[in-house]
Amino acid sequence: MIRFEQVSVHYDGAARPALAAVDLTVPEGELCLLVGPSGVGKSTLLGAVSGLVPHFTGGILRGRVTVAGRDTRTHKPRELADVVGTVGQDPLAHFVTDTVEDELAYGMESLGIAPDTMRRRVEETLDLLGLAELRDRPIATLSGGQRQRVAIGSVLTTHPRVLVLDEPTSALDPAAAEEVLAVLQRLVHDLGTTVLMAEHRLERVVQYADQMILLPSPGAAPLTGTPAELLPVSPVQPPVVALGGLAGWPPPVPLSVRDARRKAGPLRERLAPLAPRPVADPPPGGPVGEVARLSVRHGRVEALRGVDLTVRPGETVALMGRNGAGKSTLLACLVGLYEPASGSVRVGPDRVVPHRTRPAQLLRQVGLVPQEPRDLLYADTVAAECAAADQDAGAAPGTCRELVGRLLPEVADTAHPRDLSEGQRLALALSVILTARPPLLLLDEPTRGLDYAAKARLVEVVRGLAADGHATVLATHDVELAAELAHRVVILAEGEVVADGPTAEVVVSSPAFAPQVAKVLAPLPWLTVPQIREALEGAP
Amino acid sequence: MPPRSTAPATAPRRPGLRFRTRSRTRPRAGTPRGGSALHAGAWWLWALGLATAASRTTNPLLLGLLIAVAGYVVAVRRTDAPWARSYTAFLKLGLVVLAIRLFFAVFLGSPIPGTRVLFTLPEVPLPHWAQGVRIGGRVSAEGLVFALYDGLRLATLLICVGAANALASPARLLKSLPGALYEAGVAVVVAMTFAPHLVADVTRLRSARRLRGRPDRGVKALLQVGLPVLEGALERSVALAAAMDARGYGRTAQVPPAVARTTTALTLGGLLGVCCGTYGLLAAEGAGYGLPLLLAGLAAALGGLWLGGRRSVRSRYRPDRWGVRAWLVAGSGAAVAALMIAAASYAPQALQPSVVPLTAPTLPLWPAAGVLLGLLPAFAAPAPGREPAPANEAPAAPARERIRRRDPRPDTPPGSHPADAPDHHPTAQTPPAGKRADARAEAGPEEGSTQ
């Protein structure tokens, strides 16, 4: 269905090709997963399938890409629109019309499908993706997960034979991600659609994949094979695979929790007498963030209702909950972006009221890295950004640059912040915020778009901060991250706190928020692979 | 403490098995295809009718009445959609126009010979060649009142346009464009959404400035986010263009060369005819050939458009229908305009209250009654649904309930109930299940006025 023959892509002004000598074939009706670290050319490869590379992006494509027998060299993206459906990383950039129903119909209108057929397909797609309630809503009012579903639906209505998705679940909560993946699987099985998707969150998708394409490093030839063949050698592994490697299970490696559980009997016995190293209690001290009976309204909508939260120094708190549960609103309240309708918010050692504090003063009490770290960056170069951050925070010149050097050793002073990868940009924004050394650090969806290496580095950084006495609150959908980092998990639903307790207790008792290791080893209280590795190495 | 009610299930679930939660069972809104899905053109005709009426009078009482009529209809019939909020912007714009007009009248003088001098500003002496231009000087009450009337008329025009904008999404108007113009229309609409996106970006980046410890208010803050905002807007435009291309925007069908040539000939010839015909109508000597030429030109241009539409492969998804309500709404606007034009020749004194000598304007009874006809849409147009929780994730209603509704759209007899749209499919407005007792679709016209 998709065939790459000796394809290499070279963008203007780039030192090395974005893709080099790629040969691969994706047969019809397969769910094919594209994995690899950031910046390895995944998006370029996906773009080459839909014809956007090179017709839209420019650059030189050598070799030949054929999709359903059509050569992308001679067919423009619009002439491939009836066979390839593409959803990019940012669903918002994808929408042409302004309401859900019109958006679903847009692609079909372009293809000239008969009105009766369009009507039927729109209704079917609304049902398939659970969008019927939203059909008349303006797209601007939807939450992230809803937008992602609408974006997928808008390309599904044309019944493409190939579906190309770039990180379809990275912005979604676990439940919504499962829903999208279930839909994709149904398309593959019921309609024989070929799906090619890039995704960093392997633990969510790998069990559904028939084939995996691994781009190990920039310019290297891709490896293709089944996930069970490739994952043991992959630089990126979901926790079940890592657990299998650690326990020395014989091949094939487990891909799902079910497979792993079947093999995990002996491991559970070995681990039964051991206990995870107790999480060090945060040092005593007055709270650096205190929220009491907080309610916030957005227009007529009550975004938060009577929320209580206390954060102590050195503590890492994960805020979880489905899209639109009020996580970002809570973080925004802690930095004074919203005024509470009732209740109180106090932050920092000085216990200031955020929305009444001058920004320059607030900066030293609390810092937020927003969902889109790019919003924080204004300057043309990394060096200028750092100098500005030092000035804003009143820190000694060079403070921010030193932090950047620690988080991003490889980044040059002259690099433009917009040219950095997702992970690098996050690290830069984090450094900018940390320059003022706020005792309370807030991270909104920090792992969105990060590969495993960048995530591991983030985990290290946040742990280091916690050891220094910084408190961190992170809003995340990433259960593995929460399990690895958080002392405490707070679950929000519909603007209310429904659970607040130590990570091990909260996540294990809730299947949607449990990490894979916990599911495999339940009822034992293990959460992450490093924990187990440490315990096994310590044990005789 | 174990978390409750947050985690329905972890296994891949079929959509539709999600649990319903309390607040979710209310009907959605936005622009319900049924709810406020009056033909977008009807709203525009109505608003243009009011605007025409406004252009025919300077009587502040009548203009005020027109503003009140437009405002009332917007208040009760607009939806919660983002574009519906543009009405306030137009109101402010109207005030600004009024202020500018008064400013000019005060500082640059007024052509109205006034005798009641209110105050005298120092006059700037100007050289000989700038004769007729005056800066400063006497400010008369007559001049000010004249400027006020004039500015108010302009503001009313703007407010009428704003009302159309708030009541009908510009994108909906696209659906009524001929196929040959569709692509150009999309480009225009995308360009129009640029501005609201820009405003949203500015808001977001200003709050991000706060995160960096810089003041988020003031002109300086606005200027400093300018460049990132423009960069972001440009990036978004490029991404949107890519998405549109990948989704088949601009696909064309093969047409025989003869058809293509005929299209060009018809369109060009038709436009030429329209130009000449208009000239003939306006010029004194061409009254004889003007009208036929204009009509022939129009016909040729329309034929060209129709033929050109064959090059486009597009089909239309649920185009708006022009039903009885659309006739009523458009007709009420046209009636207001017609009555005002008639009144202008019948009672010019009442419509153009005299400024020299200064008299208090009176409300002419019949024209005022005519303006009140413009209120008809407040009752004739379908009531909008209201949005309970825009930011929340609404789970699917059980699939079974929804599938039942997949019948083709019937032609419901119009006018049976004010909130019951004649031209929409039941799914759009009727609640999917009987349990939705609070469905706003049943609410009368007074429902929206609570907003």
Side-chain angles (χ1 to χ4, degrees), chain A residues 239-240 243-244 246-247 249 257 260-272 276 508 515-529 531-533 536:
Chain A
V240 272
L243 187 67
L246 179 67
W249 291 333
V257 169
R261 245 194 110 73
R262 285 180 179 168
K263 295 187 175 192
L267 181 65
R268 276 199 293 271
E269 276 169 29
R270 258 173 85 195
L271 287 173
V508 171
Q516 282 194 319
V517 171
K519 288 180 189 165
V520 171
L521 296 179
L524 302 179
W526 304 87
L527 297 180
T528 62
V529 176
Q531 244 183 4
I532 297 173
R533 183 179 298 127
L536 287 181

Side-chain angles (χ1 to χ4, degrees), chain A residues 52 56 77-82 84 86 93-96 98-99 101-103 105-115 118-120 122-124 126-130 132-138 140-143 145-146 149 154-155 173 175-176 178-179 182-183 186 208 300-301 305 322-324 335-337 354-357 359-360 362-363 368 370 372 374-378 380 385 388-389 392 416 418 432-433 491-494 498-500 505-506 509-513 519, chain B residues 1-16 18 20-26 28-34 80-83 85 169-172 175 182 186 190 197 204-216 224-225 227-229 231-232 235-236 238-251 313-318 386-397 399 402-403 405-409 425 427-429 432 436 451:
Chain A
L52 289 174
F56 200 86
R78 69 187 73 146
E79 286 147 17
L80 292 166
D82 52 334
V84 184
T86 313
H94 173 94
F95 298 129
V96 183
D98 45 20
T99 61
E101 199 174 346
D102 289 340
E103 190 61 36
Y106 178 80
M108 292 190 289
E109 288 183 323
S110 303
L111 300 183
I113 290 170
M118 283 203 277
R119 189 64 210 274
R120 206 173 55 238
V122 166
E123 300 296 333
E124 282 165 6
L126 287 171
D127 285 347
L128 186 71
L129 294 173
E133 298 265 294
L134 309 175
R135 61 188 304 157
D136 295 319
R137 284 267 294 269
T141 64
L142 301 182
S143 76
Q146 291 168 338
R149 297 213 304 268
S154 69
V155 298
D173 62 66
E178 297 278 10
E179 205 160 85
V183 166
R186 198 146 114 204
Y208 301 108
R300 285 181 295 280
V301 184
R305 268 196 298 263
R322 61 170 92 83
N323 294 102
V335 287
L337 295 181
H355 69 273
R356 292 211 199 105
T357 312
L362 191 66
L363 187 65
L368 168 70
E372 191 56 78
R374 178 155 54 170
D375 290 353
L376 278 186
L377 309 174
Y378 305 107
D380 289 340
E385 202 65 74
D392 289 338
H416 194 291
R418 277 177 192 268
V432 164
I433 291 298
I491 295 181
L492 288 179
E494 308 243 314
V498 295
D500 180 356
E505 281 174 30
V506 173
S509 62
S510 144
F513 294 106
K519 288 180 189 165
Chain B
M1 178 172 61
R4 298 173 306 262
S5 79
T6 45
T10 86
R13 286 162 301 129
R14 290 281 172 266
R18 242 184 179 191
R20 266 158 172 268
T21 45
R22 197 170 21 78
S23 64
R24 303 284 163 68
T25 47
R26 301 175 62 194
R28 49 26 358 203
T31 41
R33 203 166 279 275
D80 280 347
W83 55 85
R85 292 178 207 137
S169 147
R172 295 297 293 278
K175 298 226 164 215
Y182 184 87
V186 170
V190 167
H197 280 301
R204 214 184 64 233
L205 283 165
R206 277 170 75 174
S207 55
R209 274 179 65 80
R210 189 180 164 84
L211 300 179
R212 294 237 2 207
R214 303 177 191 183
D216 57 345
Q224 282 192 349
V225 298
L227 193 61
V229 163
E231 276 178 13
E235 275 175 23
R236 197 171 35 235
V238 172
L240 178 64
M244 283 168 70
D245 203 9
R247 291 173 68 189
Y249 175 78
R251 273 166 81 103
V313 293
R314 296 190 62 80
S315 50
R316 301 275 170 86
Y317 175 74
R318 297 177 79 180
R386 288 290 173 185
E387 185 48 56
N392 279 354
E393 179 96 6
R402 278 174 280 131
I403 289 165
R405 307 247 152 221
R406 216 178 286 154
D407 43 351
R409 128 163 57 161
H425 183 265
T427 15
Q429 197 180 35
R436 296 203 173 173
Q451 296 306 320

Side-chain angles (χ1 to χ4, degrees), chain B residues 27-287:
Chain B
R28 49 26 358 203
T31 41
R33 203 166 279 275
S36 79
L38 197 65
H39 198 290
W43 280 125
W44 276 96
L45 285 178
W46 169 80
L48 289 178
L50 291 194
T52 313
S55 71
R56 293 288 157 152
T57 177
T58 52
N59 187 331
L61 298 175
L62 280 178
L63 290 173
L65 194 60
L66 276 167
I67 294 176
V69 164
Y72 179 72
V73 173
V74 167
V76 297
R77 282 298 176 266
R78 76 165 162 187
T79 59
D80 280 347
W83 55 85
R85 292 178 207 137
S86 63
Y87 187 64
T88 335
F90 276 92
L91 271 182
K92 286 180 190 155
L93 192 64
L95 283 180
V96 169
V97 165
L98 194 59
I100 291 178
R101 186 69 183 82
L102 285 176
F103 173 86
F104 277 108
V106 168
F107 287 94
L108 298 182
S110 164
I112 302 296
T115 50
R116 304 185 183 191
V117 178
L118 291 178
F119 51 91
T120 309
L121 290 174
E123 187 167 346
V124 182
L126 288 176
H128 170 69
W129 48 264
Q131 207 175 19
V133 180
R134 204 185 76 189
I135 299 178
R138 289 179 303 139
V139 178
S140 69
E142 287 90 343
L144 266 190
V145 168
F146 177 77
L148 182 74
Y149 289 178
D150 203 39
L152 192 62
R153 180 164 65 175
L154 277 177
T156 312
L157 285 178
L158 274 172
I159 288 169
C160 289
V161 173
N165 237 319
L167 289 165
S169 147
R172 295 297 293 278
L173 207 55
L174 262 190
K175 298 226 164 215
S176 319
L177 274 185
L181 295 182
Y182 184 87
E183 316 265 278
V186 170
V188 170
V189 167
V190 167
M192 279 164 69
T193 58
F194 191 79
H197 280 301
L198 219 57
V199 172
D201 275 0
V202 168
T203 325
R204 214 184 64 233
L205 283 165
R206 277 170 75 174
S207 55
R209 274 179 65 80
R210 189 180 164 84
L211 300 179
R212 294 237 2 207
R214 303 177 191 183
D216 57 345
R217 283 173 233 283
V219 180
K220 201 176 156 208
L222 199 61
L223 289 181
Q224 282 192 349
V225 298
L227 193 61
V229 163
L230 285 181
E231 276 178 13
L234 198 63
E235 275 175 23
R236 197 171 35 235
S237 310
V238 172
L240 178 64
M244 283 168 70
D245 203 9
R247 291 173 68 189
Y249 175 78
R251 273 166 81 103
T252 48
Q254 288 296 326
V255 290
V259 173
R261 274 196 295 273
T262 321
T263 309
T264 318
L266 275 178
T267 314
L268 284 181
L271 289 180
L272 203 64
V274 169
C275 290
C276 296
T278 316
Y279 175 80
L281 273 186
L282 296 178
E285 67 273 17

Side-chain angles (χ1 to χ4, degrees), chain A residues 1-3 28 65-71 80 83-84 161-162:
Chain A
M1 184 52 68
I2 305 172
R3 181 189 291 268
E28 180 155 10
V65 182
T66 47
V67 183
R70 296 188 201 171
D71 190 340
L80 292 166
V83 289
V84 184
R161 294 166 68 191
V162 177

Side-chain angles (χ1 to χ4, degrees), chain A residues 190-498:
Chain A
D190 294 358
L191 301 176
T193 311
T194 310
V195 176
L196 177 62
M197 73 171 150
E199 181 61 71
H200 282 310
R201 301 220 173 146
L202 283 182
E203 68 273 10
R204 286 182 173 179
V205 294
V206 81
Q207 50 190 315
Y208 301 108
D210 300 304
Q211 203 198 126
M212 201 169 118
I213 300 171
L214 173 66
L215 292 169
S217 60
L223 304 171
T224 52
T226 61
E229 287 163 14
L230 282 185
L231 278 176
V233 298
S234 160
V236 293
Q237 291 181 332
V240 272
V241 175
L243 187 67
L246 179 67
W249 291 333
V253 293
L255 298 179
S256 64
V257 169
R258 182 180 68 160
D259 296 347
R261 245 194 110 73
R262 285 180 179 168
K263 295 187 175 192
L267 181 65
R268 276 199 293 271
E269 276 169 29
R270 258 173 85 195
L271 287 173
L274 305 172
R277 190 161 56 97
V279 184
D281 274 339
V288 289
E290 202 169 17
V291 170
R293 294 186 307 284
L294 173 68
S295 294
V296 177
R297 303 181 69 86
H298 295 325
R300 285 181 295 280
V301 184
E302 214 165 25
L304 291 176
R305 268 196 298 263
V307 169
D308 291 297
L309 179 72
T310 309
V311 188
R312 284 175 215 297
E315 195 177 32
T316 306
V317 179
L319 277 182
M320 305 189 78
R322 61 170 92 83
N323 294 102
K327 302 186 295 293
S328 297
T329 307
L330 181 53
L331 293 189
C333 276
L334 282 167
V335 287
L337 295 181
Y338 296 127
E339 196 173 328
S342 66
S344 72
V345 184
R346 305 261 166 175
V347 293
D350 303 346
R351 300 177 57 73
V352 296
V353 178
H355 69 273
R356 292 211 199 105
T357 312
R358 277 187 309 110
Q361 193 192 344
L362 191 66
L363 187 65
R364 291 191 200 94
Q365 313 289 330
V366 58
L368 168 70
V369 179
Q371 225 171 73
E372 191 56 78
R374 178 155 54 170
D375 290 353
L376 278 186
L377 309 174
Y378 305 107
D380 289 340
T381 62
V382 171
E385 202 65 74
C386 290
D390 290 336
Q391 205 186 347
D392 289 338
T399 317
C400 180
R401 182 65 195 129
E402 196 201 315
L403 281 164
V404 173
R406 231 187 303 156
L407 297 183
L408 291 172
E410 69 274 31
V411 161
D413 266 348
T414 54
H416 194 291
R418 277 177 192 268
D419 291 338
L420 302 181
S421 77
E422 228 26 84
Q424 290 172 328
R425 238 186 338 248
L426 175 77
L428 180 58
L430 188 59
S431 314
V432 164
I433 291 298
L434 285 179
T435 306
R437 303 197 61 74
L440 177 59
L441 176 68
L442 313 171
L443 304 173
D444 198 352
E445 287 295 334
T447 58
R448 185 176 173 180
L450 293 199
D451 60 11
Y452 278 64
K455 219 164 103 174
R457 214 175 308 152
L458 177 76
V459 167
E460 245 171 68
V461 170
V462 175
R463 282 218 181 112
L465 289 173
D468 287 353
H470 287 269
T472 310
V473 179
L474 42 105
T476 184
H477 293 312
D478 190 335
V479 292
E480 307 294 337
L481 179 81
E484 211 153 325
L485 264 184
H487 299 105
R488 201 145 65 85
V489 170
V490 175
I491 295 181
L492 288 179
E494 308 243 314
E496 290 172 10
V497 173
V498 295

